[in-house]
């Protein structure tokens, strides 16, 4: 059985250590080799599925894919405090997810406060707030 099949089999049964080990050994961010780059994205997904957010956070310092997957996963899991902490550390992607989360959970005033506190100069965050305030029927 080749490494790819072993990694898939390990993933299917939730053997995260094996799957992550096999895939990460053949992963490279922004590689000219499309397969190595694909493996990198697979590696990020495995870390999410294994809920290894600490590892993703370590990688997110220098890896845009890890940062995006981490923020998206925190949003999907409703991990507001973690998003707020990341946004407070300057992660604009975490701020955008935090704003969407707060707005989506019926707390538009908190979303506005988060932008004012964590990204007062962030034009995209202000535009995101404006877009969220505009009902979909008006946006057409």
């Amino acid at each position: 059985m080749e490494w790819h099949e072993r990694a898939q089999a390990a993933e299917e049964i939730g053997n995260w250590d094996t799957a992550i080990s096999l895939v990460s050994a053949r992963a490279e961010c922004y590689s000219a080799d499309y397969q190595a780059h694909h493996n990198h994205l697979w590696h990020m997904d495995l870390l999410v599925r294994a809920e290894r957010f600490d590892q993703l956070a370590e990688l997110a310092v220098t890896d845009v894919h890890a940062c995006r997957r981490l923020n998206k996963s925190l949003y999907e899991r409703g991990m507001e405090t973690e998003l707020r902490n990341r946004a407070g550390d300057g992660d604009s992607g975490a701020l955008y997810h935090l704003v969407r989360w707060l707005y989506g959970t019926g707390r538009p005033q908190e979303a506005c406060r988060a932008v004012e506190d964590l990204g007062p100069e962030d034009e995209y965050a202000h535009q995101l707030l404006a877009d969220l305030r505009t009902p979909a029927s008006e946006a057409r």
Side-chain angles (χ1 to χ4, degrees), residues 40-89:
H40 175 68
L41 300 177
W42 185 13
H43 178 216
M44 298 302 104
D45 287 338
L46 288 170
L47 291 174
V48 168
R49 293 189 55 215
E51 297 185 353
R52 294 190 180 173
F53 300 120
D54 289 342
Q55 284 180 272
L56 270 172
E58 286 175 26
L59 293 170
V61 173
T62 58
D63 184 327
V64 67
H65 301 107
C67 187
R68 288 178 186 154
R69 286 300 283 131
L70 176 59
N71 290 335
K72 181 180 179 194
S73 297
L74 296 174
Y75 170 81
E76 289 171 345
R77 287 166 174 75
M79 299 173 80
E80 180 183 328
T81 301
E82 290 80 357
L83 283 171
R84 189 177 299 278
N85 290 341
R86 292 186 57 73
D89 288 340

Side-chain angles (χ1 to χ4, degrees), residues 1 14 18 21-22 24 26 42-44 67 78 81 94-95 98 106 125 132 136 140:
M1 181 183 292
T18 299
S21 176
L22 288 166
S24 67
R26 292 157 181 87
W42 185 13
H43 178 216
M44 298 302 104
C67 187
T81 301
L95 174 60
L98 175 63
L132 290 169
R140 292 181 194 161

Side-chain angles (χ1 to χ4, degrees), residues 96 119-129:
Y96 308 149
E121 304 296 320
D122 189 320
E123 291 179 30
Y124 182 80
H126 287 281
Q127 184 60 52
L128 178 59
L129 278 175

Side-chain angles (χ1 to χ4, degrees), residues 20 90 108:
I20 290 167

